[in-house]
Amino acid sequence: MSSLYNPHEFLVDNVKRQVAEFLVSKGFAVEPAQVEVRKAPKTFGDLAVPLFTISKVVKGLSVEEVSTLFGGFKPSGLVKSSKVENNFLNLVVDEKRYAEVVYSSVVRLGDNYGFVPAETRERIIVEHVSANPIHPLHVGHLRNGVLGDSLVRLLRARGHEVKAHFYVDDVGLQVAYAAKAFSIVGGEGQGKKDHFVGTLYTAINLLIEVKKLREKAKSASGDELAEINSKVSEYLWRLGELSEKFPGLIEKLLEWVEKTEDPEAELRRLNRMYEEGDPSTVKLTRRVLDYCLEGIRETLDRLGISFDSWDWESELTVWSGATSDVIDKLRGLGLVERRDGALVFRADLLAESEDVRRAAGIPPGFTVTPMTLVRSDGTTLYTTRDIAYSIWKLSRADRVINVIAVQQTLAQAQLRLALYALGYRDVGRRLIHYSYEMVNLPGTRMSSRRGVYVSADEVIEEAVARAKEEIAKRGVGDVGDAEKVGIGALKFFFLSQTPGKVLTFDWKRVLDFEQNSGPFVQYSYVRALGILRKASEEHIRPDELNVGDVGEEEHPLILLVGEFPNVVKEAADNLRPDLLASYLNTLATEFNRYYDSYPVLRAPTTSKKYSRLAVVKMVEQTLKNGMKLLGIEAPQRM
């Protein structure tokens, strides 16, 4: 099974067995599992066995003596030569024999090459995107969704039962703002639905803020008054822009804001009524949320991101009584106190114990503060409700992965401490905060309340337009593939960096056709596909291909293709899509170097041609499978 699913692992096991058998023949009782095998630096070989680790296993021999002993090592099987250097046994793989293993695996598994069944298969929930349904997805959600979708794909490639969940955050004051604005203007408007709702949310926020600032200005003077006037001017300018785009909309909202003595109090009342399940308020609120979600789904569909479950916060955590139950249980544990009318959970007291911190997965040195559960007006906070939602998810999965921005690290820590207090002692292992950093767009400071953000739709449109322009300029394919190239470029850009790194958006990097980008990997795939297509036109059948005549020139590609399942395994187990993105870039680079150096269809002999075509087929299949695991669609021509 190992050779079928994971050629590299089969190769490493082969080396371990050879080394162990050699030591046994010299009178030392060593098991293959005790032998360490590493990747060797390029100039030294393919694999390396550190002999200082062997000296720890075979008692009584120094490192130097072990090195001398291995001077008599004679490799066999998948290894063709060895040499002891700097206390390492460096090994060179026999590309002909290993190619048989790799090619057999690729051909037999096809689109499933890279699938490596985990020893223990888990039920896993990956919750991602989960954007507030009151505005369109922005560029931060784009990174979130691409990361979450790739995790789902990678974990499924390990045989886990994975469900993707979208948490519909429909409880909270911000939802009341959008719902009220939607009702004032009479419902549906023009343009994409989520963008229209986002405009309403921004407009009512700005109008209420202007009213508050003008009231504050009556008692202000000096610098404070100047600052207030500056903000008012900024907000009015933004409202003017919105008014030009949506004539009549601002006037309707302004009329309501002006005639309502305390708009914020009215919106807090609306929020409280929704939490209480008031039928008319629920009907009003759900209408705008469903409307906005239609637009959000359009964006997700375009990205090829789908969900198995849409979890409504109100239904799962509030109306079910689950949040009230959580609060009652925490109060019963003596970990809740009242401060200024609010209920507060003393997460900080729990975090004083190092044992608790470890069990709850709280990073060393991270400061935990008390957490407000219920406001003085009786409404609950998002994180409070999230405790109830987490219990619901944990009851349905062995592991839950929340893809949430790094800014929510404190809230996620408080959440895990609350769950620990409620009896989930293994919460640190089972509930994972998969954090990611912000996307920095030079010159843009995002705020959805002020309507200053770069939507995911804008970024996608720009990527597709630029891809179309680049394809036409280079003459390298069909502009009809611009959608696949543009979206693939965005996905690769977001996935090629570790999630903990702040990303500065740079179009030159996103759409670099020459190196380390989605288009570069896609182009390499299309190049391999084109060679195979020409071979088919020459009536060369796939079943005629073989690796019997591969040579030194194919050596690096055979090793790289053989590593693919192991890379997928490592990327999935460590939740590191960037490892796969890096691998695909390396494979594409090596393939292009090979193609530019050695003729395939014009190889010197027929046997050489068929073997080189077999290697191209392995590369084509591997690039295709790797892109699919990152959610990148492969164009047919480029």
Side-chain angles (χ1 to χ4, degrees):
M1 176 169 288
S2 178
S3 63
L4 174 62
Y5 287 109
N6 197 337
H8 178 78
E9 191 173 274
F10 181 74
L11 170 64
V12 169
D13 288 346
N14 180 272
V15 169
K16 287 182 175 181
R17 190 170 60 254
Q18 285 189 55
V19 171
E21 287 173 356
F22 173 76
L23 288 168
V24 168
S25 73
K26 299 298 180 182
F28 300 100
V30 176
E31 295 293 328
Q34 295 175 288
V35 179
E36 181 185 346
V37 179
R38 301 178 183 178
K39 206 170 181 178
K42 273 190 175 181
T43 54
F44 289 94
D46 301 318
L47 299 172
V49 177
L51 298 179
F52 50 84
T53 61
I54 297 293
S55 70
K56 294 176 182 177
V57 177
V58 290
K59 306 296 183 182
L61 288 185
S62 66
V63 178
E64 290 74 19
E65 288 171 323
V66 171
S67 296
T68 301
L69 180 69
F70 272 90
F73 178 75
K74 302 295 182 187
S76 61
L78 299 176
V79 180
K80 66 179 180 182
S81 66
S82 65
K83 188 177 182 181
V84 176
E85 294 177 276
N86 303 323
N87 297 324
F88 279 88
L89 175 65
N90 296 309
L91 308 163
V92 177
V93 174
D94 186 327
E95 64 278 343
K96 289 186 183 296
R97 291 184 175 181
Y98 187 48
E100 293 286 354
V101 176
V102 179
Y103 187 60
S104 173
S105 181
V106 174
V107 170
R108 289 173 67 187
L109 291 175
D111 289 346
N112 289 321
Y113 181 62
F115 174 94
V116 184
E119 289 183 14
T120 303
R121 301 190 187 188
E122 296 180 292
R123 295 172 305 147
I124 301 174
I125 287 176
V126 179
E127 185 218 319
H128 65 103
V129 182
S130 300
N132 292 337
I134 53 170
H135 50 62
L137 302 180
H138 56 60
V139 69
H141 296 126
L142 194 54
R143 187 178 196 186
N144 183 311
V146 169
L147 282 168
D149 184 59
S150 68
L151 292 179
V152 170
R153 293 168 184 268
L154 283 166
L155 290 165
R156 283 176 178 162
R158 290 286 276 143
H160 299 302
E161 182 188 323
V162 187
K163 302 292 184 184
H165 285 233
F166 187 114
Y167 187 41
V168 183
D169 179 12
D170 63 323
V171 180
L173 193 57
Q174 74 279 3
V175 173
Y177 272 79
K180 188 63 184 179
F182 196 73
S183 68
I184 292 168
V185 302
E188 302 178 8
Q190 63 193 62
K192 195 163 177 281
K193 294 178 178 180
D194 49 335
H195 286 258
F196 179 69
V197 174
T199 298
L200 293 177
Y201 174 70
T202 296
I204 196 169
N205 263 293
L206 290 173
L207 287 167
I208 291 173
E209 195 63 28
V210 167
K211 181 173 183 174
K212 286 164 59 182
L213 287 169
R214 283 176 169 166
E215 189 63 32
K216 190 177 180 182
K218 293 176 182 178
S219 58
S221 60
D223 291 343
E224 185 186 11
L225 181 59
E227 186 180 347
I228 290 172
N229 288 332
S230 175
K231 283 185 179 180
V232 169
S233 297
E234 178 193 342
Y235 297 167
L236 289 176
W237 178 80
R238 183 75 185 104
L239 285 163
E241 279 191 323
L242 295 176
S243 185
E244 285 182 18
K245 191 174 180 180
F246 299 96
L249 183 149
I250 302 300
E251 287 75 11
K252 288 181 180 179
L253 294 175
L254 177 62
E255 182 183 353
W256 179 81
V257 171
E258 289 298 319
K259 76 179 183 182
T260 305
E261 184 177 348
D262 189 345
E264 280 194 319
E266 171 63 19
L267 293 170
R268 283 194 295 272
R269 185 188 67 82
L270 192 67
N271 176 40
R272 190 165 55 252
M273 289 175 68
Y274 186 70
E275 276 204 40
E276 292 169 357
D278 174 69
S280 61
T281 307
V282 170
K283 184 178 179 181
L284 164 68
T285 305
R286 283 299 177 94
R287 186 182 169 201
V288 65
L289 296 179
D290 286 335
Y291 187 78
C292 188
L293 282 171
E294 283 186 48
I296 288 174
R297 283 191 178 98
E298 283 181 30
T299 305
L300 293 170
D301 287 346
R302 191 174 184 186
L303 290 166
I305 296 174
S306 61
F307 290 89
D308 301 292
S309 180
W310 295 75
D311 305 336
W312 288 80
E313 181 181 18
S314 55
E315 296 172 10
L316 295 180
T317 73
V318 181
W319 303 338
S320 66
T323 299
S324 296
D325 187 48
V326 162
I327 294 168
D328 289 342
K329 286 179 178 176
L330 287 174
R331 293 180 79 167
L333 294 169
L335 291 166
V336 175
E337 61 185 43
R338 192 168 287 279
R339 292 185 181 180
D340 300 322
L343 282 181
V344 176
F345 166 58
R346 294 301 304 273
D348 55 322
L349 295 180
L350 274 178
E352 290 176 0
S353 165
E354 289 301 322
D355 289 340
V356 172
R357 292 178 75 96
R358 278 192 294 274
I362 311 300
F366 184 80
T367 301
V368 178
T369 57
M371 166 194 167
T372 300
L373 295 170
V374 183
R375 300 182 187 91
S376 57
D377 67 358
T379 56
T380 55
L381 277 79
Y382 177 88
T383 310
T384 312
R385 301 187 294 273
D386 205 12
I387 300 170
Y389 178 47
S390 297
I391 291 172
W392 182 86
K393 286 186 290 187
L394 288 167
S395 71
R396 287 160 174 77
D398 302 307
R399 197 158 36 121
V400 175
I401 301 169
N402 295 328
V403 184
I404 302 176
V406 71
Q407 289 81 358
Q408 296 298 315
T409 299
L410 174 59
Q412 287 292 302
Q414 293 169 330
L415 166 70
R416 290 195 300 279
L417 285 167
L419 288 164
Y420 176 87
L422 292 168
Y424 293 83
R425 305 297 176 164
D426 56 354
V427 67
R429 179 186 63 80
R430 292 185 61 203
L431 185 65
I432 298 164
H433 175 203
Y434 188 81
S435 67
Y436 64 95
E437 269 287 1
M438 63 180 288
V439 179
N440 177 31
L441 291 117
T444 303
R445 187 177 179 182
M446 296 203 293
S447 167
S448 56
R449 290 183 63 190
R450 298 180 188 179
V452 183
Y453 52 80
V454 178
S455 73
D457 292 317
E458 291 174 84
V459 177
I460 293 168
E461 286 295 339
E462 180 74 9
V464 173
R466 284 175 179 260
K468 188 177 292 185
E469 183 181 314
E470 195 67 26
I471 288 170
K473 182 175 74 178
R474 291 170 175 266
V476 293
D478 186 350
V479 292
D481 278 327
E483 181 86 3
K484 294 176 183 176
V485 175
I487 291 176
L490 289 174
K491 288 187 174 184
F492 193 91
F493 176 75
F494 287 125
L495 295 172
S496 61
Q497 306 292 330
T498 55
K501 181 179 179 181
V502 175
L503 273 185
T504 298
F505 203 83
D506 180 355
W507 282 113
K508 288 183 180 178
R509 284 183 57 200
V510 173
L511 282 158
D512 187 342
F513 277 63
E514 305 296 332
Q515 60 180 343
N516 200 19
S517 71
F520 174 63
V521 174
Q522 287 173 318
Y523 174 69
S524 304
Y525 164 76
V526 170
R527 201 174 196 184
L529 191 65
I531 297 169
L532 296 172
R533 191 179 286 123
K534 287 179 181 177
S536 178
E537 290 168 2
E538 292 182 14
H539 306 292
I540 299 173
R541 300 192 315 272
D543 62 357
E544 293 181 283
L545 305 184
N546 63 78
V547 289
D549 202 11
V550 296
E552 289 285 344
E553 64 270 26
E554 285 83 34
H555 190 104
L557 281 175
I558 292 165
L559 286 174
L560 274 170
V561 172
E563 283 180 29
F564 176 62
N566 213 52
V567 173
V568 173
K569 177 182 175 182
E570 189 177 350
D573 292 353
N574 295 289
L575 307 181
R576 291 280 304 277
D578 58 293
L579 296 178
L580 177 55
S582 176
Y583 166 85
L584 291 176
N585 178 63
T586 301
L587 179 59
T589 301
E590 184 57 43
F591 172 68
N592 283 293
R593 184 202 62 76
Y594 172 76
Y595 179 81
D596 292 339
S597 302
Y598 305 102
V600 177
L601 292 170
R602 298 293 170 262
T605 65
T606 300
S607 63
K608 193 59 117 172
K609 176 166 71 173
Y610 281 23
S611 287
R612 287 182 177 175
L613 281 170
V615 171
V616 171
K617 174 58 186 173
M618 289 194 288
V619 170
E620 178 265 338
Q621 186 73 66
T622 302
L623 288 173
K624 177 185 175 183
N625 293 1
M627 285 190 288
K628 187 176 180 181
L629 288 171
L630 295 183
I632 295 174
E633 199 170 349
Q636 294 301 297
R637 297 185 185 275
M638 190 172 167

